[in-house]
Amino acid sequence: MAKGGKGPKGKKITLNVAKNCIKITFDGKKRLDLSKMGITTFPKCILRLNDVDELDLSRNLIRKIPDSISKFQNLRWLDLHSNYIDKIPESIGQMTSLLFLNVSNNRLTTNGLPVELNQLKNIRTVNLGLNHLDSVPTTLGALKELHEVGLHDNLLNTIPASIAKLPKLKKLNIKGNPFPKTDETDAFVDTIKRLENLYLVEEKDLCAACLQKCQQARDKLNKIKSMAPTAPRKAIFSNLVSPNSMAKDSQEDWRMRSPSTS
């Protein structure tokens, strides 16, 4: 952009254009996909489509998100990555249905993250990577439903303990930050590692592909066991889809029925 000149003129998004960009996801949700369209200004006309469940404005040239975005009260998925955004509006705290927020690869600083983020009590995934954050906002520690947090490629030198205490956190990406001591960072990451529970399911609840994979894994396991030296051991449930110490007390309800079972 030339000095003193105007920014590039982006594609004009009309209401009809936006309507034609609404897609139905595999789970029946309405997604308004306006990604990669060269948009420079948030198209206000899309506020009339505020019944959508998902909004994708990623990979555009947008610099500002207006407070009126909070009119998307049903929104559960908001993707704004790869724009020129330097501030998230305070009104985002009103979007309490949000489960997924991606604002990576923008121009956000810590001051550009409002405290109202702590009102997103249902949020599961937040990606703040590839920005200019020099500290982690304490508001993240209040989001108890968080499963995944992206903080990679920022200017961070510490991670607050409140992040490690998030009860459901499973994935944390903090790569590409100027931490002073790698070993301390690794130790921190170790403290938040979670084992994902593997639950047994009935055969009828699996799709054909998944069922085949489970059966193949079970057959392989049984083959290995058959090759092992015979030794007294406790009875095992050989017809389970997959071993799991978290199985319900009533094992009969969780076995796979097999024609060979007497």
Side-chain angles (χ1 to χ4, degrees):
M1 183 170 63
K3 186 176 181 180
K6 294 183 179 180
K9 186 176 181 180
K11 180 176 180 178
K12 182 176 177 59
I13 302 298
T14 65
L15 184 59
N16 284 335
V17 168
K19 286 181 178 179
N20 289 331
C21 291
I22 293 179
K23 304 175 181 178
I24 304 300
T25 65
F26 72 93
D27 55 349
K29 302 298 182 181
K30 294 171 64 176
R31 175 184 295 177
L32 176 53
D33 187 354
L34 297 174
S35 62
K36 298 184 291 185
M37 297 186 71
I39 302 171
T40 56
T41 304
F42 184 91
K44 294 182 179 179
C45 66
I46 68 174
L47 297 175
R48 297 174 63 180
L49 304 174
N50 59 9
D51 62 334
V52 297
D53 305 289
E54 304 181 0
L55 175 59
D56 189 350
L57 286 167
S58 66
R59 290 166 285 185
N60 281 296
L61 306 168
I62 300 172
R63 296 179 180 275
K64 182 179 179 180
I65 301 299
D67 289 329
S68 55
I69 195 172
S70 61
K71 291 186 178 180
F72 288 94
Q73 284 296 299
N74 296 329
L75 215 61
R76 64 170 192 167
W77 192 90
L78 177 59
D79 195 345
L80 301 171
H81 86 264
S82 302
N83 279 283
Y84 296 104
I85 302 166
D86 59 10
K87 182 181 180 181
I88 297 177
E90 297 175 357
S91 62
I92 197 169
Q94 301 172 30
M95 303 171 69
T96 54
S97 295
L98 270 184
L99 301 177
F100 173 95
L101 175 63
N102 187 357
V103 288
S104 64
N105 195 24
N106 276 285
R107 295 181 175 178
L108 291 168
T109 63
T110 303
N111 290 335
L113 302 178
V115 296
E116 285 77 9
L117 282 174
N118 64 6
Q119 298 173 24
L120 302 179
K121 301 300 184 182
N122 297 309
I123 197 87
R124 307 291 174 83
T125 301
V126 173
N127 192 347
L128 297 167
L130 288 163
N131 279 291
H132 306 293
L133 307 181
D134 55 13
S135 63
V136 179
T138 56
T139 51
L140 290 185
L143 305 178
K144 304 302 183 183
E145 294 296 319
L146 270 178
H147 286 61
E148 301 181 25
V149 178
L151 294 169
H152 57 93
D153 298 289
N154 276 287
L155 304 173
L156 305 173
N157 51 39
T158 59
I159 300 292
S162 59
I163 301 298
K165 294 179 181 179
L166 288 169
K168 299 183 179 181
L169 189 63
K170 295 178 181 178
K171 296 181 181 178
L172 175 66
N173 188 347
I174 55 176
K175 296 180 180 179
N177 283 287
F179 296 112
K181 294 182 180 180
T182 304
D183 54 343
E184 291 184 3
T185 301
D186 291 341
F188 171 80
V189 173
D190 287 341
T191 65
I192 64 144
K193 285 184 177 178
R194 302 285 190 272
L195 290 176
E196 304 222 13
N197 291 332
L198 175 65
Y199 294 99
L200 299 180
V201 296
E202 294 184 86
E203 181 176 353
K204 64 182 179 62
D205 294 326
L206 292 172
C207 66
C210 293
L211 178 60
Q212 184 179 15
K213 287 183 179 180
C214 288
Q215 289 173 333
Q216 289 173 347
R218 182 188 62 190
D219 292 342
K220 184 177 181 180
L221 180 61
N222 288 338
K223 183 177 180 180
I224 293 174
K225 288 180 178 179
S226 66
M227 296 171 62
T230 305
R233 61 179 183 271
K234 295 181 179 179
I236 62 173
F237 297 102
S238 60
N239 288 329
L240 289 177
V241 173
S242 182
N244 190 341
S245 61
M246 299 294 291
K248 285 189 173 181
D249 293 336
S250 179
Q251 294 286 354
E252 292 296 330
D253 295 336
W254 295 80
R255 293 186 186 181
M256 287 186 60
R257 298 189 180 279
S258 172
S260 61
T261 302
S262 56

